[in-house]
Amino acid sequence: MTGDDSSAPDFLDLVPDREGGPERLLLGIRRFDEPFLLTVSLSQGVGSSELWLDRGRAGKARLAEFRRANRRVLLVVLNKHFLTSGDAAAVRAGQESFAVSVVWSGPVLREEEGTVVVDATGLVLYDHDRVAGHLEDEGQGEYALDAATSLPLLADSRTGPAATRLPALLTFRGPGRGAALRAVAADPRAVSVVQQLNLLRLPESPLPARRYHPASGGYGIGYADHGLAGRADIQVKVQPRFRAEPGGAGVVFRVDPAIPEPFRTAVVEGGNWWREAFARTGLPDAYRVEAAGPDFDPYDPAVNGVVWVHRSGRGWSLGQGLTDPRTGEILHARVRLGSQRVDQVRALGEALLAPYGRPDEAERLAAVEELVLARLRLLAAHEIGHALGFMHNFASTRHPAPSVMDYPHPRVTVTDTGELDLAHAYATGLGPWDHFLVAHAYGHFADEERELAGLRRAAAEAGLVYVSDEDAQGTSAAHPDGVPWVTGGDALQALETVLRVRRIALEGFSRGVLPPGRQTGELEERAVLLHLLHRHEVTAVARLVGGVRYGYAQAGDDAPGGEPVDAGTQHTALNRLAALLRTDRLGLPQAVLDVITPPAIRYVRTDQYFDTGTGRLPDPFEAVRTAVTLVTRELLDPARLGRVAWQHAADPAMPGARDVVDALLEATWLSDEEHRAAEVPGRPGVRDTADWTVLNHLLTALDTPGLPAPVRATLKAALRALAVRLRERGGEQRVEAAELIASYLADPRSVRLDPLPRVPPGAPN
């Protein structure tokens, strides 16, 4: 590992151990009381998508320094969230006001030519990334670092003028009972990883900080500067960005040679989409992505790497940047691409096209392969975008062209002959929002504040809506425009389109959705993908009910406040969601029931299957319960019910909480029989299962934390009215439901409700 100036002295010296004996790591330190960045990564991971302890994992950067204390050296982690500016007295007051952390101390062995030699074995044999705590947090049990089977990897240690890397084999011992560890570890009682401890010098010439604006689309990092108290806002936030100067060395990402072809070429192609944006910003040579050679070292802090990661299970890819906490300068970036994404996308493509055994099998398989490559191009652009300092934008399906920083679901179209077409499943290249991101973060301006404000104003006038994670993810999210994984801007139309695609794919379901060498139990996984294909569009339509549009701004900006979705659209959305509870949209079609089987011997049901209460057999009842839950979990979310209730109180034309409940009940328990007589396999079972699933969720919602008291009262009143109507209609199922409602409202402890159905994961796609 070398810095820019190979003639400069190394940051730390790796000192040979003259005494021999037990393997020790000796460091020579010549700089004390000088802050540097302390980071940690894993080069040997655990391999579970559930645990996130992957190859290439990069922990958060900490600000640290070495201090001398008599005959010992201390490693002190500074509080980077509180950096006080001002004169010496102000800085001292800030330093003494907030706690630091001494995470290691080691004895001074000797001093030679201004260098202090210490035994730093304990420094590297330390759980800097909190692996043991993470395993416990994830329910894998209590693990502790085992000193007897942990050791510094001296031969792999590196140092240079800019950084020092100190790897160590760390073994954690624990009970070995956690399911996630049992699935991937050779012996889950002894889990060994390789930790790379990196110590990096901060730039001597800091990059000028660019003040963060919430509408910039970039990450905002910062600290509290109490030296500004009484003069300015003490919360300092800056926008992370690389140093990209005209005529400079440029930002280069190198792609792991472990990525096989043709996937590696797709990653390089997609990553290079950003070059156009840098060129438009006046930096044509400031950025590129290239395939790395066989000597690629993904853990070298001087390399921005795109690393290929293998995991067990459905998992996410990530793009991370290591930043100077003082200025936001990105000093190093690492992207992790999960290889399992290839199989996830291919499985969806095969489920849609059912290519195997068809006369045009070759053409269909070619379409599936192009789907995978198109997704990898977009994935590479997306994760490198994060590494460049950009956040998600989940509203870009409303833009003239989508952003690569969105989560895309493949756009499947239907041909004139009723065939499914994947040719335009994913967009190619950057959208206008992506060009804005690069201009705002990396542009050079004569009057920075004024010209940045002009960029933001132009983006808003062009209709480039921006909605990121906290306002887009989860059932309680309110913004109707920021929904991940959707296929189009008009949620109502997109739902109808995806339902048509879903119907065609399910009706054409056969063993041809699976390669002929795979065991037939996996057919259910493919059926799950199709049965729940509309899940994200359900979320988008539900977001219209009680939805509120708003933007990110500062108080001095000319920006609107919150604006509820209009009443007409809300009522339409509610009706469309209730219509999804029709029997023909809930049960599995005969084409699926005829071919799915239990997993073969030596295979197991994974979380990609439906749960089952029918032994080893696939459970058609659970498929119905899950499809109903897609609707009820959205509409009965306590935050949504609270918003709906308040909007209705302010404007009676808006749907209220009672309207939501009534829509669910009119589609199930109170529906006319002739409207539920669709010709689907097991129609009475589908109908009754939907009824009981809705009722179970309504009763469960009564005791959901956070449900506003007026909404709880409305739900109780609706259930009492339902009980009366069910008794009036008569019939064994209805009378039983009425008695259940009465018992629960009288004493919830007297009734055992079913747990809400588990919906198999559908992301990432």
Side-chain angles (χ1 to χ4, degrees):
M1 180 190 310
T2 60
D4 294 334
D5 183 3
S6 58
S7 64
D10 291 338
F11 181 41
L12 297 172
D13 294 335
L14 298 174
V15 181
D17 190 353
R18 300 170 183 168
E19 299 178 8
E23 196 165 55
R24 298 188 300 175
L25 172 69
L26 303 187
L27 286 182
I29 304 171
R30 65 176 64 86
R31 297 183 180 89
F32 291 93
D33 305 310
E34 179 181 307
F36 57 86
L37 284 179
L38 179 72
T39 73
V40 63
S41 62
L42 297 181
S43 59
Q44 171 75 53
V46 173
S48 169
S49 293
E50 296 180 46
L51 300 179
W52 291 79
L53 297 171
D54 306 323
R55 172 190 189 233
R57 170 186 166 92
K60 292 184 177 180
R62 293 180 289 174
L63 199 60
E65 64 185 24
F66 288 113
R67 293 181 184 175
R68 181 82 181 266
N70 300 321
R71 295 296 299 170
R72 298 191 71 81
V73 169
L74 311 179
L75 178 65
V76 181
V77 174
L78 308 175
N79 198 326
K80 69 177 183 179
H81 300 294
F82 300 94
L83 302 177
T84 305
S85 63
D87 58 21
V91 170
R92 179 181 176 182
Q95 291 173 339
E96 295 176 352
S97 294
F98 300 99
V100 297
S101 299
V102 178
V103 298
W104 167 82
S105 73
V108 174
L109 302 182
R110 60 182 181 272
E111 297 185 45
E112 46 191 36
E113 299 180 359
T115 299
V116 175
V117 178
V118 297
D119 180 354
T121 308
L123 171 62
V124 296
L125 299 185
Y126 179 81
D127 187 9
H128 288 276
D129 203 25
R130 228 186 128 260
V131 170
H134 184 78
L135 292 175
E136 183 175 1
D137 292 345
E138 295 299 320
Q140 303 305 298
E142 293 187 14
Y143 280 76
L145 187 64
D146 180 27
T149 52
S150 301
L151 70 156
L153 300 178
L154 302 180
D156 296 328
S157 298
R158 299 286 185 273
T159 193
T164 298
R165 177 165 42 131
L166 306 173
L169 176 70
L170 303 183
T171 299
F172 297 88
R173 294 196 177 272
R177 294 190 293 270
L181 277 181
R182 288 204 314 271
V184 295
D187 183 344
R189 297 168 299 175
V191 179
S192 299
V193 299
V194 174
Q195 172 185 273
Q196 303 277 348
L197 187 64
N198 298 296
L199 300 86
L200 295 89
R201 295 188 68 185
L202 291 167
E204 293 183 3
S205 301
L207 179 73
R210 178 154 295 175
R211 193 170 66 168
Y212 170 73
H213 190 284
S216 67
Y219 289 100
I221 68 168
Y223 52 90
D225 182 353
H226 289 273
L228 299 175
R231 298 183 290 117
D233 183 2
I234 65 171
Q235 296 298 326
V236 177
K237 286 192 179 297
V238 298
Q239 181 169 357
R241 57 195 183 123
F242 279 97
R243 190 183 296 251
E245 305 287 343
V251 179
V252 181
F253 281 82
R254 293 188 167 85
V255 177
D256 196 339
I259 304 178
E261 291 291 3
F263 308 134
R264 190 189 322 155
T265 294
V267 169
V268 172
E269 289 173 351
N272 274 316
W273 288 351
W274 290 105
R275 296 189 72 175
E276 180 186 358
F278 278 91
R280 284 195 192 181
T281 307
L283 299 167
D285 301 318
Y287 168 87
R288 71 181 186 277
V289 178
E290 61 189 27
D295 58 346
F296 175 65
D297 181 355
Y299 312 108
D300 184 343
V303 173
N304 301 311
V306 180
V307 184
W308 197 233
V309 178
H310 305 306
R311 304 187 185 98
S312 172
R314 184 183 287 262
W316 299 86
S317 298
L318 297 121
Q320 298 171 280
L322 172 66
T323 58
D324 182 341
R326 306 166 303 173
T327 66
E329 180 180 354
I330 302 174
L331 306 174
H332 162 69
R334 184 176 302 143
V335 170
R336 283 181 276 163
L337 298 184
S339 64
Q340 79 285 345
R341 299 291 280 272
V342 172
D343 290 332
Q344 290 163 345
V345 177
R346 180 175 285 130
L348 179 57
E350 290 173 342
L352 288 164
L353 296 187
Y356 298 100
R358 299 281 194 107
D360 58 348
E361 177 180 316
E363 291 83 352
R364 289 174 182 258
L365 286 177
V368 172
E369 191 67 14
E370 179 50 38
L371 181 77
V372 172
L373 295 175
R375 184 66 186 98
L376 282 178
R377 293 183 194 103
L378 194 50
L379 180 65
H382 179 98
E383 301 303 345
I384 290 176
H386 284 314
L388 289 170
F390 308 140
M391 294 190 72
H392 293 127
N393 186 356
F394 295 126
S396 80
T397 52
R398 293 182 172 271
H399 297 179
S403 167
V404 302
M405 301 313 298
D406 209 332
Y407 279 171
H409 195 275
R411 298 189 182 199
V412 186
T413 57
V414 181
T415 67
D416 293 339
T417 58
E419 298 286 332
L420 301 183
D421 185 359
L422 305 182
H424 304 289
Y426 295 112
T428 300
L430 304 183
W433 179 255
D434 305 313
H435 288 282
F436 162 77
L437 291 174
V438 172
H440 197 283
Y442 291 97
H444 292 258
F445 307 102
D447 187 342
E448 184 168 293
E449 290 298 321
R450 183 183 63 80
E451 293 180 68
L452 287 175
L455 283 175
R456 295 190 295 270
R457 185 167 53 253
E461 291 171 351
L464 303 185
V465 183
Y466 170 43
V467 182
S468 200
D469 293 75
E470 289 86 344
D471 299 289
Q473 305 263 33
T475 55
S476 63
H479 204 300
D481 298 333
V483 186
W485 304 113
V486 294
T487 58
D490 184 333
L492 296 168
Q493 180 57 53
L495 176 61
E496 294 307 309
T497 300
V498 79
L499 286 173
R500 186 184 179 200
V501 170
R502 172 179 179 262
R503 178 181 56 79
I504 293 171
L506 284 170
E507 289 176 351
F509 194 86
S510 70
R511 290 191 176 187
V513 304
L514 200 64
R518 304 275 279 273
Q519 57 99 15
T520 56
E522 293 179 59
L523 289 166
E524 184 179 342
E525 287 186 307
R526 304 295 167 96
V528 170
L529 293 175
L530 299 179
H531 191 58
L532 305 181
L533 187 67
H534 61 312
R535 66 167 81 211
H536 306 299
E537 306 300 348
V538 169
T539 298
V541 173
R543 197 71 66 77
L544 298 170
V545 181
V548 180
R549 290 186 169 89
Y550 53 92
Y552 306 130
Q554 293 178 333
D557 297 334
D558 182 14
E563 179 183 354
V565 174
D566 67 274
T569 299
Q570 291 204 37
H571 281 290
T572 300
L574 187 55
N575 292 335
R576 295 283 180 87
L577 293 172
L580 296 178
L581 303 181
R582 290 174 7 200
T583 54
D584 62 323
R585 288 179 170 174
L586 295 175
L588 291 172
Q590 198 65 48
V592 175
L593 296 174
D594 285 344
V595 297
I596 58 176
T597 70
I601 300 302
R602 308 298 294 173
Y603 293 90
V604 297
R605 302 181 73 85
T606 71
D607 65 351
Q608 304 297 303
Y609 289 71
F610 290 123
D611 290 341
T612 179
T614 54
R616 283 177 46 79
L617 290 172
D619 188 346
F621 291 107
E622 194 64 21
V624 175
R625 295 180 72 225
T626 305
V628 171
T629 301
L630 292 183
V631 176
T632 56
R633 71 177 179 181
E634 295 288 345
L635 289 180
L636 297 180
D637 178 79
R640 173 166 287 106
L641 290 174
R643 292 194 300 271
V644 165
W646 182 260
Q647 290 178 9
H648 179 71
D651 179 0
M654 295 285 195
R658 182 61 181 263
D659 296 298
V660 172
V661 176
D662 287 349
L664 294 173
L665 296 177
E666 292 291 343
T668 51
W669 289 100
L670 302 177
S671 175
D672 294 332
E673 286 296 327
E674 58 267 24
H675 293 159
R676 301 169 60 172
E679 291 299 326
V680 296
R683 180 180 63 81
V686 173
R687 178 194 65 205
D688 293 342
T689 301
D691 290 349
W692 286 104
T693 303
V694 167
L695 179 57
N696 185 71
H697 204 149
L698 281 167
L699 294 173
T700 302
L702 284 175
D703 287 327
T704 303
L707 189 69
V711 174
R712 184 174 287 108
T714 297
L715 264 60
K716 288 182 176 180
L719 287 166
R720 291 191 186 98
L722 173 64
V724 171
R725 294 184 66 179
L726 292 177
R727 287 195 179 94
E728 291 174 348
R729 289 192 171 199
E732 182 179 337
Q733 296 275 347
R734 295 190 183 97
V735 172
E736 178 68 21
E739 292 177 356
L740 176 69
I741 292 169
S743 298
Y744 190 84
L745 294 180
D747 181 9
R749 294 170 298 179
S750 68
V751 175
R752 183 183 64 83
L753 297 177
D754 292 332
L756 299 180
R758 180 190 67 86
V759 178
N765 288 321

